Amino acid sequence: MASSEGFLTEGQREMLKIASQNADILSSSPKSPSALLSEHHIKAPTGGKAQTAGIAVRHVRRSHSGKFGRAKKDGAGGKGTWGKLLDTDVASHIDRNDPNYDSGEEPYQLVGSTVTDPLDEFKKAVVSIIEEYFSTGSVELAASDLRELGSSEYYPYFIKRLVSMAMDRHDKEKEMASVLLSALYADVISPAQIRDGFFMLIESADDLAVDILDAVDIIALFLARAVVDEILPPAFLARARKALPESSKGVQVIQTAEKSYLSAPHHAELVERRWGGSTQITVEEVKNKIADLLKEYVDSGDTLEACRCIRELGVSFFHHEVVKRALVLAMENRSAEPLMLKLLKEAAEEGLISSSQMVKGFSRLADGLDDLALDIPSAKALFQSLVPKAISEGWLDASFTKPAGEDGEIQFKDEKLRKYKWEAVTIIHEYFLSDDIPDLIQSLEDLGAPEYNPIFLKRLITLAMDRKNREKEMASVLLSALHIEIFSTEDIVNGFLMLLESAEDTALDILDASNELALFLARAVIDDVLAPLNLEEIGSRLPPKCSGSETVLMARSLIAARHAGERLLRCWGGGTGWAVEDAKDKIMKLLEEYESSGVLGEACQCIRDLGMPFFNHEVVKKALVMAMEKKNDRMLYLLQECFNEGLITINQMTKGFTRIKDSLDDLALDIPNAKDKFSFYVEHAQTKGWLASSII
């Protein structure tokens, strides 16, 4: 077909027709219309020159300027181009009110969905718990919220967050954080999680120091406080230090905690009061509250209200202060005497003030009568009149006094004993400060009252139970030394018997008294201060089914447990003198020195200088292992000599052999013939008489 100049060819017309019919398809195609069109190679007609008039001129895709104009994306724009296929001046849009509206025509949109991390959610949640705790001060609410939050596997992060938030606040919040950790310990957060949380905190010291200039010192104080509060064992510091790079600030934290806080004299009191103890009621505040409630009682005369106030104080261990202040007030204001005696009688009958607290209150006042007489001249006479009234009415134990003497004054039960108790308390307090056992033994010998040795033991353990683990460990170590030097086994037995007989009264002042007494008893057996048969003797002298008998049974179960020796030796943390690891190092060094020199006397003297007879089983164990490794019997000669001199008892020998027996499988990995060697050593020791037959 002939084509007219200036018009489209039939092929071009056909292509435009197809494009018009399939506009919808083209608009939704992944390819642009210009791309589709380019595939068909639409060309301008050939033959002749194109005219300048008519529609054909407008559709020529060639620049009028003669320059090549490249089409833009989707075929729209570009100088001298056709523009976008089927382009109109009106922008197309979807009208949702159109009767023909189809939701399927709506453009698709990808909606993003955030994947939540449980740890991130936990961290966000604990921030609000901590903020609320800092506002309300409610430990119970914080513990409840943490339990409800769940995710206990993330509790170490809670510890880190709590401390890091408190670090950037006032001392009040720092104290609150320490109190909360102590409250949550074991009940909500396990000891292992406490350790993990503090290790994470120490690890992050470098980052925290960027924002908080004194971060190292603050974290060190939190660490020391955790040790003092007994939620972290002292051994944690050494283990954490080994796991940290030497150049990190975490190591500086541990060094500061050890040297600046935990090694200082009276470090426990200093650390506890460093932040002011603002969340806990102080002794002075309790005394002020007691004075206020007694004055209010004098004005109102309402005994029930006064008892309620005493109960709300929540300091049953401090009720002796109520007794003392009530008696002083009765002496100062004679008109208030009937009211004070009525209050004390009512409190005793209700069981609000225990018998031991009542006696303690009277005893404290009796000890201070000379000073009180400076302000109240008739203080002694008034006190002499108050005591028989209290005894006759049944709210003061009659054992507080003896019958009146010739001068008519009440004689306190054994004045010598009372003086001895006062001296003993002073000696014990000095020992807790100095850790000087020889000085204490000399002080006891100067008192010249060996008949009161059981009373000294009772006082020692009672005072230790009301203190930290450091003092408990010191008391156990002192018992071992006293048993060697001046106390007989009978003194020890009688002292523990007195403790167990008063266990129920002690429990009123010290909530965990029964468990701690059981530990002291078991530790005494482990340290060879008492023999297992002594426990049976003590138990037989106590009434059945009493608190003391239950404590003895508990001690027996502790001793019978697997690896009881190691556990009980560390029950108080090994807080006095050398640490357990230090003692082991010294034992190893003295044995190595003996191995090289062969001087028996020097080795025995070194063992004696260790001053740890309760730990001599470690000497036995290490000596046997060294004998297996060196393949000679020189160590057996040392053990024989130690037994002959009484340096290592048969119980310690047996304990050392037993520890080797329990670890033979592990030893055999390094020493293939360990079992054969051990059998030979057992036979040799039993033949020589320094090992019990029970080892087999």
Side-chain angles (χ1 to χ4, degrees):
M1 182 181 73
S3 62
S4 297
E5 192 174 309
F7 288 90
L8 298 177
T9 64
E10 287 296 322
Q12 290 173 334
R13 292 175 185 275
E14 186 64 20
M15 283 302 303
L16 286 173
K17 183 178 178 181
I18 292 171
S20 300
Q21 292 173 348
N22 297 289
D24 291 338
I25 298 174
L26 288 171
S27 64
S28 63
S29 171
K31 292 186 178 182
S32 67
S34 61
L36 288 172
L37 289 174
S38 66
E39 290 178 359
H40 293 277
H41 307 289
I42 301 177
K43 296 179 181 178
T46 59
K49 212 181 224 186
Q51 295 184 5
T52 58
I55 191 170
V57 175
R58 292 197 304 270
H59 290 288
V60 175
R61 300 182 65 188
R62 182 174 65 244
S63 171
H64 291 280
S65 65
K67 296 180 180 179
F68 178 75
R70 186 178 298 276
K72 293 183 180 179
K73 188 176 181 181
D74 291 335
K79 189 173 182 181
T81 63
W82 286 359
K84 194 171 181 179
L85 185 64
L86 298 181
D87 200 7
T88 63
D89 292 334
V90 181
S92 70
H93 66 278
I94 298 173
D95 184 4
R96 291 184 176 85
N97 296 321
D98 191 328
N100 296 321
Y101 166 72
D102 182 4
S103 62
E105 297 177 357
E106 291 277 4
Y108 294 103
Q109 292 182 349
L110 293 176
V111 179
S113 177
T114 304
V115 179
T116 59
D117 183 356
L119 177 57
D120 290 339
E121 294 296 317
F122 179 84
K123 288 180 178 179
K124 292 176 184 176
V126 297
V127 168
S128 62
I129 293 175
I130 295 168
E131 292 283 3
E132 185 174 1
Y133 169 65
F134 285 156
S135 299
T136 64
S138 175
V139 173
E140 293 79 9
L141 180 61
S144 174
D145 289 345
L146 192 58
R147 284 195 191 96
E148 290 177 3
L149 186 59
S151 304
S152 59
E153 67 274 17
Y154 298 140
Y155 282 172
Y157 292 93
F158 171 81
I159 296 166
K160 179 185 173 184
R161 175 65 74 177
L162 172 65
V163 175
S164 59
M165 288 177 66
M167 285 172 62
D168 205 21
R169 300 192 178 212
H170 297 294
D171 284 354
K172 175 176 177 286
E173 283 79 10
K174 294 183 180 74
E175 176 69 16
M176 290 176 72
S178 291
V179 170
L180 180 60
L181 287 177
S182 295
L184 297 178
Y185 175 73
D187 185 30
V188 179
I189 303 178
S190 70
Q193 290 171 330
I194 292 281
R195 292 194 295 270
D196 292 344
F198 269 97
F199 185 75
M200 291 169 60
L201 180 69
I202 297 170
E203 277 188 315
S204 64
D206 293 274
D207 295 333
L208 291 170
V210 175
D211 300 321
I212 304 170
L213 295 179
D214 56 346
V216 170
D217 188 67
I218 297 175
I219 299 174
L221 191 50
F222 268 109
L223 198 58
R225 176 64 180 268
V227 173
V228 168
D229 288 346
E230 299 172 10
I231 64 174
L232 275 182
F236 169 82
L237 301 179
R239 293 171 188 164
R241 185 171 183 172
K242 291 178 182 177
L244 293 168
E246 281 298 324
S247 59
S248 69
K249 289 192 180 295
V251 172
Q252 295 179 29
V253 167
I254 294 173
Q255 290 174 340
T256 304
E258 290 177 333
K259 295 179 180 178
S260 300
Y261 297 119
L262 295 176
S263 298
H266 315 298
H267 67 274
E269 291 80 2
L270 292 174
V271 169
E272 284 182 331
R273 296 173 185 174
R274 183 62 181 266
W275 291 318
S278 56
T279 66
Q280 294 176 318
I281 189 167
T282 64
V283 172
E284 287 304 315
E285 288 173 339
V286 174
K287 289 182 177 180
N288 292 335
K289 286 178 179 288
I290 291 172
D292 291 342
L293 76 86
L294 290 176
K295 289 176 182 177
E296 187 176 342
Y297 171 61
V298 171
D299 295 335
S300 67
D302 190 341
T303 307
L304 293 177
E305 177 64 17
C307 287
R308 186 188 65 79
C309 291
I310 294 171
R311 190 177 291 107
E312 285 184 353
L313 284 176
V315 287
S316 57
F317 56 88
F318 203 57
H319 283 167
H320 55 82
E321 182 70 18
V322 177
V323 178
K324 178 188 172 185
R325 285 184 176 267
L327 294 174
V328 171
L329 192 56
M331 294 179 184
E332 291 175 338
N333 183 359
R334 295 307 308 281
S335 62
E337 179 182 324
L339 282 173
M340 290 298 130
L341 297 183
K342 180 182 179 183
L343 174 62
L344 293 177
K345 180 181 179 182
E346 187 72 22
E349 290 176 350
E350 285 187 16
L352 180 58
I353 298 179
S354 67
S355 174
S356 63
Q357 289 288 309
M358 192 68 74
V359 170
K360 191 180 293 186
F362 271 84
S363 297
R364 287 184 61 203
L365 185 58
D367 293 338
L369 277 177
D370 291 334
D371 294 333
L372 189 61
L374 298 176
D375 299 321
I376 308 173
S378 59
K380 290 185 178 180
L382 291 173
F383 185 72
Q384 298 289 344
S385 65
L386 289 174
V387 170
K389 287 182 182 178
I391 293 175
S392 63
E393 292 178 5
W395 49 274
L396 177 63
D397 197 312
S399 63
F400 180 72
T401 63
K402 291 177 70 175
E406 293 179 0
D407 56 0
E409 289 190 2
I410 295 174
Q411 302 296 313
F412 292 105
K413 185 180 180 181
D414 200 336
E415 289 292 335
K416 183 182 178 182
L417 175 58
R418 190 166 68 87
K419 182 179 178 182
Y420 177 87
K421 287 181 177 179
W422 184 85
E423 293 283 354
V425 169
T426 303
I427 292 170
I428 293 167
H429 284 161
E430 289 179 357
Y431 168 65
F432 285 156
L433 294 175
S434 67
D435 197 13
D436 191 340
I437 292 178
D439 183 61
L440 180 142
I441 291 174
Q442 184 60 52
S443 298
L444 277 181
E445 289 176 342
D446 291 343
L447 284 179
E451 67 273 18
Y452 294 146
N453 286 347
I455 294 171
F456 180 87
L457 184 148
K458 178 186 176 184
R459 184 67 65 173
L460 170 68
I461 294 180
T462 302
L463 289 173
M465 285 196 298
D466 204 21
R467 292 185 172 227
K468 301 293 181 182
N469 279 355
R470 174 181 175 274
E471 285 78 10
K472 296 182 180 77
E473 174 69 15
M474 291 177 73
S476 289
V477 172
L478 179 59
L479 280 185
S480 295
L482 291 175
H483 183 241
I484 295 171
E485 298 290 339
I486 56 176
F487 278 24
S488 66
T489 301
E490 185 179 0
D491 290 336
I492 304 289
V493 169
N494 290 335
F496 273 108
L497 191 61
M498 293 170 67
L499 274 168
L500 294 167
E501 286 174 340
S502 61
E504 293 179 358
D505 287 337
T506 306
L508 297 174
D509 301 330
I510 304 169
L511 295 179
D512 203 29
S514 182
N515 290 331
E516 293 193 351
L517 273 175
L519 283 171
F520 272 112
L521 264 176
R523 174 67 181 268
V525 174
I526 294 298
D527 291 345
D528 290 331
V529 175
L530 289 176
L533 286 175
N534 293 136
L535 289 186
E536 295 182 12
E537 177 188 352
I538 292 171
S540 65
R541 293 167 64 178
L542 292 169
K545 296 183 180 180
C546 70
S547 177
S549 297
E550 293 175 1
T551 300
V552 173
L553 291 175
M554 195 184 306
R556 287 179 181 172
S557 66
L558 289 172
I559 296 167
R562 183 174 175 81
H563 305 304
E566 288 82 352
R567 291 178 180 177
L568 290 170
L569 278 173
R570 299 173 186 174
C571 64
W572 309 129
T576 65
W578 298 319
V580 173
E581 291 303 320
D582 290 339
K584 289 182 177 180
D585 289 341
K586 289 181 180 291
I587 290 170
M588 180 57 74
K589 288 177 182 177
L590 75 86
L591 291 176
E592 288 173 350
E593 188 175 341
Y594 167 69
E595 173 65 26
S596 61
S597 68
V599 181
L600 276 172
E602 180 65 23
C604 289
Q605 185 59 45
C606 289
I607 294 172
R608 190 176 291 106
D609 290 344
L610 284 175
M612 302 177 75
F614 54 87
F615 203 54
N616 280 344
H617 55 82
E618 182 71 17
V619 177
V620 178
K621 178 189 173 185
K622 287 191 178 295
L624 293 175
V625 172
M626 191 174 289
M628 292 179 185
E629 292 174 341
K630 302 293 183 181
K631 299 180 180 179
N632 64 55
D633 301 334
R634 178 173 285 180
M635 291 298 163
L636 298 182
Y637 303 147
L638 174 61
L639 295 179
Q640 176 74 57
E641 185 65 21
C642 288
F643 177 77
N644 292 341
E645 290 187 14
L647 188 57
I648 300 180
T649 66
I650 195 168
N651 283 340
Q652 291 288 315
M653 286 286 186
T654 303
K655 195 180 300 179
F657 271 83
T658 302
R659 291 179 62 197
I660 290 288
K661 180 182 177 183
D662 292 340
S663 60
L664 272 178
D665 291 335
D666 294 333
L667 277 174
L669 298 176
D670 300 320
I671 308 170
N673 62 341
K675 293 184 179 180
D676 295 335
K677 285 280 186 183
F678 179 71
S679 298
F680 170 75
Y681 296 154
V682 169
E683 183 178 354
H684 175 80
Q686 289 176 340
T687 302
K688 297 293 184 180
W690 43 273
L691 180 63
S693 59
S694 60
I695 190 67
I696 300 177

